[in-house]
Structure formats: C-alpha cells, structure tokens
C-alpha cells in the first residue's frame, strides 16, 4: 500500500526542498549531488531552500503527458529562488486571463502534481503560485 510517511522519508530533497551546500566553496546544489561541480569537493551540509523566487522563463504545454491531461494547458516555469538556485516547476492557480511575466515574484507551495490512475497513486510536489 502507498504510505505517505514512507514517501516522505524516501524523497526528503523533493518533498522538503532540501539542497546540499558544499562545505569547501559554498556552492548550493539542488538536487543534492555527490561531487561539487565547482570545486570537486565531496562534503556537503543540508540547507533548506527558500520558497520565494522570481520567474526566469516559462512555457505552456498544450498537450500534456498522461496523468496531467486534466490540467491542460500546463504552465511550466523556471524559477530562480532567493538563494540563486533555479528550479523547474509547474505553475498553479493561474487564471486563464492572467499572464506570467519574466521577473514576476512567485512562491513555491506543496500541491498535488498528478495521479497515476492505474496504480491509484497521487504524487505531490512543489508548484509555483503568484506571490501577492
Ligand atoms: Zn564546492
């Protein structure tokens, strides 16, 4: 059976937005990695990612993949968070008449991402919503 508590433990970076900061040069990696891309360092500390950021670029997918079809069209944005890390996330709660612009402030919120109808699973993750 699908256990939310188990998934929480198995995907801490994804669910808790945790990044790894290189203890040698300070570069922040999200998702975490084993070797620092800047200095080849191998020691990291876990840091929390900020929830606030700004839109770098975005696109709309008019024919979404299976599992996302009820959310058509699907807005996807690259968001630069307050610590400079860029993440690709789905945009939620955007009215049809509203248009995102580059530089718009957004906030990441924990939402339902999609279902796998056959297995009966529902996946959760972070989506960007317009910051007010
Ligand atoms: Zn480093």
């Amino acid at each position: 059976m699908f256990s939310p508590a188990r998934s929480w433990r198995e995907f801490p970076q994804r669910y808790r937005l945790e990044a790894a900061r290189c203890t040698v040069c300070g570069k922040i990696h999200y998702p975490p990695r084993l070797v620092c891309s800047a200095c080849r360092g191998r020691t990291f500390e876990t840091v929390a990612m900020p929830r606030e950021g700004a839109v770098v670029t975005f696109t709309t997918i008019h024919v979404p993949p299976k599992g996302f079809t009820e959310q058509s069209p699907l807005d996807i944005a690259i968001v630069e968070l307050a610590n400079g890390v860029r993440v690709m996330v789905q945009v939620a709660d955007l009215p049809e008449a509203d248009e995102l612009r580059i530089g718009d402030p957004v906030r990441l919120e924990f939402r339902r991402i999609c279902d796998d109808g056959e297995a009966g699973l529902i996946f959760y993750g972070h989506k960007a919503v317009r910051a007010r």
Side-chain angles (χ1 to χ4, degrees):
M1 211 193 113
F2 181 69
S3 154
R6 196 173 127 212
S7 293
W8 187 275
R9 286 197 303 274
E10 287 176 353
F11 302 104
Q13 299 91 1
R14 181 172 159 197
Y15 282 103
R16 298 204 298 258
L17 275 181
E18 285 179 358
R21 179 165 55 205
C22 175
T23 57
V24 180
C25 74
K27 184 175 170 73
I28 295 172
H29 300 279
Y30 181 82
R33 43 186 297 158
L34 294 174
V35 180
C36 177
S37 61
C39 74
R40 315 306 294 169
R42 288 172 183 268
T43 53
F44 298 92
E45 58 185 347
T46 299
V47 292
M49 297 272 277
R51 297 294 196 269
E52 295 74 34
V55 173
V56 175
T57 188
F58 57 91
T59 189
T60 300
I61 297 171
H62 292 280
V63 185
K66 190 166 170 276
F68 291 89
T69 45
E70 67 188 49
Q71 303 177 54
S72 173
L74 196 62
D75 295 306
I76 303 287
I78 292 178
V79 172
E80 184 166 306
L81 297 174
N83 64 357
V85 173
R86 292 182 174 192
V87 293
M88 188 165 70
V89 290
Q90 193 181 327
V91 180
D93 302 348
L94 197 65
E96 201 136 327
D98 195 4
E99 262 183 46
L100 272 187
R101 289 176 202 284
I102 289 166
D104 278 355
V106 291
R107 184 178 70 246
L108 300 187
E109 289 193 353
F110 199 64
R111 295 292 180 87
R112 169 177 163 151
I113 298 282
C114 68
D115 319 46
D116 177 343
E118 284 160 32
L121 300 181
I122 300 171
F123 297 97
Y124 291 85
H126 288 89
K127 293 186 184 181
V129 298
R130 197 180 270 291
R132 294 172 214 287

